[in-house]
Amino acid sequence: MSGLRRVLVANRGEIAVRIVRACHAAGVEAVAVHSDADEGARWVRMADHVQHIGRSAAQKSYLDAEVLLKAAKEAEADSVHPGYGFLSENADFARGVRDAGLAFIGPPPEAIELMGDKATARRTAQSAGVPVVPGSGPCTDQAQAERAAADLGYPLLVKASAGGGGRGIRPVRDAAELREVLPAAQAEAQSAFGDSTVYLERAIPQARHVEVQVLADDHGNVRHLLERDCSVQRRRQKLIEEAPAPQLSDDARRAIAEAAVRLAEHVGYRNAGTVEFLVDADENFYFIEMNTRIQVEHPITEAITGIDLVAEQLRIGGGAPLSFDQDSVRARGAAVELRINAEDPQRAFAPTPGVVTEFELPGGPGVRFDTWIGPGDRVSPFYDSLIAKLVCWGADREQAHDRARQALREFRAEGIATTAGLHERLLAEPDLRRGPVHTTWLEHLLEE
């Protein structure tokens, strides 16, 4: 039992569909919100109650905390699930929900604040005994950054302290490039996150991106649900994720998972979160950030563990303990997730908004297709271009990949361009078939 009665889903798209379904499975009513652009969308049609929250631009709807809190009050909701993106990692919104007497189905605002500033999160990880990539403290001017860079050595990454989701990161090869990049990085950080503070981090060559899913309740239980490999990235945006991480030793898996749990315990974490690491060729691992929300790629963890992460979020939000213990978490088979975006890889991944005229879904054993799209739906230019997630499970990694290739051959979308064709080509690449690859592999491949 979740202990909740009516949940306002403060999001849109496939994650809103996912949360509405989880609410219904738990016997909880779901309140959908929508902007002008999303009137009549799938999650709106599925919900028990509906609230219109404003104009199409996200700033006038999904990013307006006051409007969302008003919608929750009008709908007589007892809780708010923020999904991912938008206000999901906004501590002020989480605090506003709590102050309104509602349950926030996410971490406490104090944990969001602590882990949301990347420089502070690094220091917090160090205090918890979790290794971090060598880096600097906050840098607010050129001289400070140049002194820090001289101490660290090149190559480096300039990172926005308030950044997340791969945004606000610039590579730097030498001092001259630092002088050129720093002002632009600060301007980007200010524009994207409202904070121009940056810090420097040593670049780890050919690193893998490995993350650990954690869940924590109000009864003192902190659990990990194994790891995922998210190394197939373009401009630090994930395209393909796998679970478990291929070709990682059992000792490394255990150490990384234990570090993630240790950090979550150290910060008094609650609900779902993901602790992200870089892993070098010698399996040394380094904390890079903690995402204080449910992740886009959570279905592959569900596929290999059999644990419904959103259902567990609802349990925690309602005050119940986790439904499983650590010893029961075992990897069964392997899973891969492909993010299908309304983008055209032939035109530098330009977004392709428009009306979807045909949309045929794949099927078969081990195939899951999370989407909010159907024939006649419109992909809006106002929001993120993610339209679907293809998740394929197999008894082993090879079978999971084979099923993904077959599913891509069955999938069809007309009226918009998508990244499905790119995924077909990537899954055929010998490097990826052998696995694993590093975080810059895809960018080098695209350049070639």
Side-chain angles (χ1 to χ4, degrees):
M1 297 291 293
S2 73
L4 303 175
R5 177 182 56 84
R6 184 176 296 171
V7 177
L8 182 112
V9 183
N11 216 299
R12 67 176 301 280
E14 70 85 19
I15 190 60
V17 171
R18 172 76 179 90
I19 298 167
V20 171
R21 283 177 174 153
C23 287
H24 289 166
V28 177
E29 293 183 356
V31 181
V33 298
H34 71 88
S35 67
D36 289 345
D38 288 332
E39 184 177 4
R42 176 172 295 184
W43 68 93
V44 177
R45 301 194 304 268
M46 292 171 59
D48 304 284
H49 307 275
V50 176
Q51 291 285 321
H52 174 251
I53 55 169
R55 294 161 60 182
S56 299
Q59 293 287 351
K60 301 293 185 180
S61 51
Y62 300 103
L63 286 171
D64 191 326
E66 290 186 10
V67 168
L68 288 165
L69 290 172
K70 181 182 177 182
K73 181 179 179 180
E74 290 178 352
E76 299 182 348
D78 58 10
S79 52
V80 174
H81 195 311
Y84 56 72
F86 293 131
L87 295 176
S88 62
E89 294 182 281
N90 185 299
D92 289 337
F93 179 58
R95 188 172 289 110
V97 171
R98 187 176 66 182
D99 291 347
L102 309 177
F104 183 71
I105 304 176
E110 295 79 11
I112 297 176
E113 285 177 329
L114 188 63
M115 304 312 290
D117 182 279
K118 301 307 181 255
T120 302
R122 283 171 48 84
R123 294 194 296 271
T124 303
Q126 287 176 302
S127 67
V130 176
V132 302
V133 179
S136 73
C139 296
T140 57
D141 58 52
Q142 188 76 44
Q144 191 178 29
E146 289 183 3
R147 287 194 298 270
D151 290 338
L152 288 170
Y154 295 92
L156 295 167
L157 297 175
V158 179
K159 290 190 167 186
S161 288
R167 300 179 64 191
I169 302 175
R170 303 274 184 112
V172 172
R173 291 169 293 186
D174 52 38
E177 194 167 36
L178 178 62
R179 286 191 291 272
E180 177 184 340
V181 162
L182 188 68
Q186 290 176 310
E188 181 183 7
Q190 180 65 43
S191 174
F193 309 111
D195 183 350
S196 64
T197 307
V198 299
Y199 68 97
L200 307 183
E201 197 173 83
R202 185 180 297 163
I204 306 296
Q206 296 195 342
R208 299 172 62 183
H209 184 131
V210 177
E211 62 187 30
V212 178
Q213 176 72 62
V214 296
L215 285 170
D217 61 25
D218 289 310
H219 301 268
N221 302 307
V222 181
R223 309 281 186 248
H224 72 80
L225 288 90
L226 311 175
E227 82 289 340
R228 304 182 285 249
D229 188 303
C230 308
S231 300
V232 182
Q233 303 177 8
R234 175 182 174 269
R235 297 182 177 176
R236 295 177 179 83
Q237 297 297 309
K238 301 167 186 173
L239 271 73
I240 299 176
E241 298 102 353
E242 299 191 63
Q247 298 180 30
L248 194 64
S249 71
D250 289 342
D251 287 344
R253 293 183 206 279
R254 189 178 308 110
I256 293 172
E258 289 173 353
V261 170
R262 191 161 63 248
L263 179 59
E265 291 175 336
H266 183 73
V267 301
Y269 200 80
R270 295 293 181 273
N271 217 273
T274 303
V275 186
E276 307 202 349
F277 300 90
L278 292 180
V279 180
D280 68 19
D282 297 320
E283 293 192 335
N284 299 306
F285 63 92
Y286 307 94
F287 168 83
I288 49 174
E289 66 177 339
M290 184 175 191
N291 285 311
T292 54
R293 52 175 166 78
I294 195 74
Q295 294 275 90
V296 176
E297 57 270 25
H298 75 271
I300 52 175
T301 293
E302 295 178 330
I304 67 167
T305 64
I307 296 171
D308 185 325
L309 269 68
V310 181
E312 294 297 326
Q313 285 193 287
L314 296 175
R315 288 180 61 89
I316 297 166
L322 292 167
S323 68
F324 61 94
D325 58 28
Q326 191 63 69
D327 290 341
S328 66
V329 180
R330 293 284 186 272
R332 173 178 167 268
V336 59
E337 175 180 291
L338 312 176
R339 300 191 188 192
I340 299 178
N341 297 330
E343 298 173 354
D344 188 349
Q346 301 299 320
R347 296 193 298 121
F349 292 84
T352 58
V355 176
V356 178
T357 56
E358 294 185 42
F359 203 70
E360 294 184 10
L361 306 187
V367 175
R368 169 177 168 179
F369 199 83
D370 286 10
T371 188
W372 61 276
I373 288 289
D377 285 331
R378 178 180 292 276
V379 177
S380 170
F382 294 102
Y383 314 116
D384 185 86
S385 60
L386 179 70
I387 60 169
K389 302 183 312 195
L390 172 61
V391 181
C392 293
W393 176 89
D396 53 30
R397 182 174 185 262
E398 182 178 5
Q399 187 180 52
H401 278 235
D402 286 344
R403 286 175 169 175
R405 282 190 289 273
Q406 175 60 35
L408 286 168
R409 286 191 288 269
E410 293 180 18
F411 172 66
R412 184 180 176 208
E414 299 293 341
I416 57 170
T418 77
T419 53
L422 173 66
H423 284 305
E424 281 196 74
R425 295 193 292 275
L426 292 181
L427 290 180
E429 284 290 329
D431 286 344
L432 188 60
R433 288 179 69 88
R434 285 190 297 267
V437 297
H438 53 81
T439 56
T440 57
W441 170 78
L442 177 56
E443 291 187 353
H444 293 325
L445 183 70
L446 293 174
E447 287 174 3
E448 293 171 2

